[in-house]
Amino acid sequence: MAEQPKKEVVLNATIEEPLDLLRLSLEERVHVKMRTDRELRGKLRAFDQHLNMVLSEVEEIVTTRETDEDTFEEIYRQTKRTVPMLFVRGDSVILVSPPVRAS
Amino acid sequence: MSRRQNPSEFLKKIIGKPVVVKLNSGVDYRGILACLDGFMNIALEQTEEYSNGQLQNKYGDAFIRGNNVLYISTSTK
Amino acid sequence: MLFFSFFKSLVGKDVVVELKNDLSICGTLHSVDQYLNMKLIDISVSDPEKIPTYAFSQKLFRDQVDTQLLADSCRKELAEAKAKQ
């Protein structure tokens, strides 16, 4: 009989592919870094393979950069707003960071 | 030492190793490569975010969407 | 399919769609397709001062365009294109 690769017992908590990281973060608060200097913090309610996501109790932080015309100093402004329920289209997502897991 | 190999062999070999992931935006992520998939989505552990060489952020785990990735390189850290 | 179903369940509800160009459109979700294209009805822009273009074009579309003529012209062109084949 041909040698079979050992099938490991797949626990629910194992990470075999990157999306497992998100699967383990469902119903948890996550940090999402988006294109165009936006960050979101909210509870991950659902996602798919495109990284489309539904988040709830979301805090959105938008960072805008302005250059002072006289001193050429760069000024960063952060504006915050909260959204109770938010669908995010995956193509704008750069990074998703789950809460710190006890493992 | 390093035998000729194709990109996916390289990627398979560096799982569990410290890597630098550079994104198209120029931002670097340094951490342990937990795993990746065919879209080049990446899971990193003990992640540090560097912008212009300066540490910006730390994440325990981080999922990076593959379309943003410029390169993945091994790191000596 | 998850989010397609999700949005189908939201049909008839009031939503805000924020576009990548920062335009926010409030309206009632009328329909959605598998690509998550959406049709909103009874729309308004949340900040018409900031982006006057749309408020204008909306008015333009409502008052200035003969939609019947447009549709007829469209059919005509399609028919002509077909005849040429």
Side-chain angles (χ1 to χ4, degrees), chain A residues 20-37:
Chain A
D20 289 342
L21 214 54
L22 296 193
R23 185 170 51 79
L24 297 174
S25 308
L26 275 170
E27 310 289 306
E28 307 270 2
R29 285 193 83 78
V30 293
H31 175 195
V32 184
K33 204 173 140 79
M34 312 273 294
R35 285 163 173 269
T36 64
D37 297 316

Side-chain angles (χ1 to χ4, degrees), chain A residues 79-96:
Chain A
T79 44
K80 286 186 190 181
R81 63 169 177 171
T82 55
V83 188
M85 187 66 75
L86 184 69
F87 169 85
V88 186
R89 191 171 160 95
D91 61 358
S92 300
V93 172
I94 296 175
L95 175 143
V96 185

Side-chain angles (χ1 to χ4, degrees), chain B residues 21-24 40 42 64-72:
Chain B
V21 177
K22 198 179 192 70
L23 304 191
N24 286 320
M40 223 173 271
I42 294 171
I64 298 171
R65 196 175 191 264
N67 67 311
N68 301 292
V69 174
L70 180 64
Y71 67 62
I72 306 169

Side-chain angles (χ1 to χ4, degrees), chain B residues 11-19 31-35 45:
Chain B
L11 291 173
K12 238 181 253 170
K13 233 176 68 175
I14 62 170
I15 287 172
K17 300 228 167 70
V19 294
I32 311 296
L33 181 63
C35 56
E45 293 168 356

Side-chain angles (χ1 to χ4, degrees), chain C residues 33-77:
Chain C
D33 70 12
Q34 56 164 323
Y35 305 107
L36 309 187
N37 296 316
M38 292 175 204
K39 177 178 172 180
L40 305 188
I41 53 173
D42 298 330
I43 59 136
S44 61
V45 288
S46 55
D47 194 357
E49 299 285 307
K50 195 173 136 199
I51 307 157
T53 340
Y54 199 78
F56 171 72
S57 61
Q58 208 190 337
K59 191 174 179 335
L60 182 103
F61 270 86
R62 214 179 271 154
D63 301 343
Q64 309 292 324
V65 178
D66 185 337
T67 50
Q68 192 56 57
L69 178 65
L70 187 63
D72 288 344
S73 310
C74 182
R75 283 191 202 97
K76 202 173 142 196
E77 275 202 17

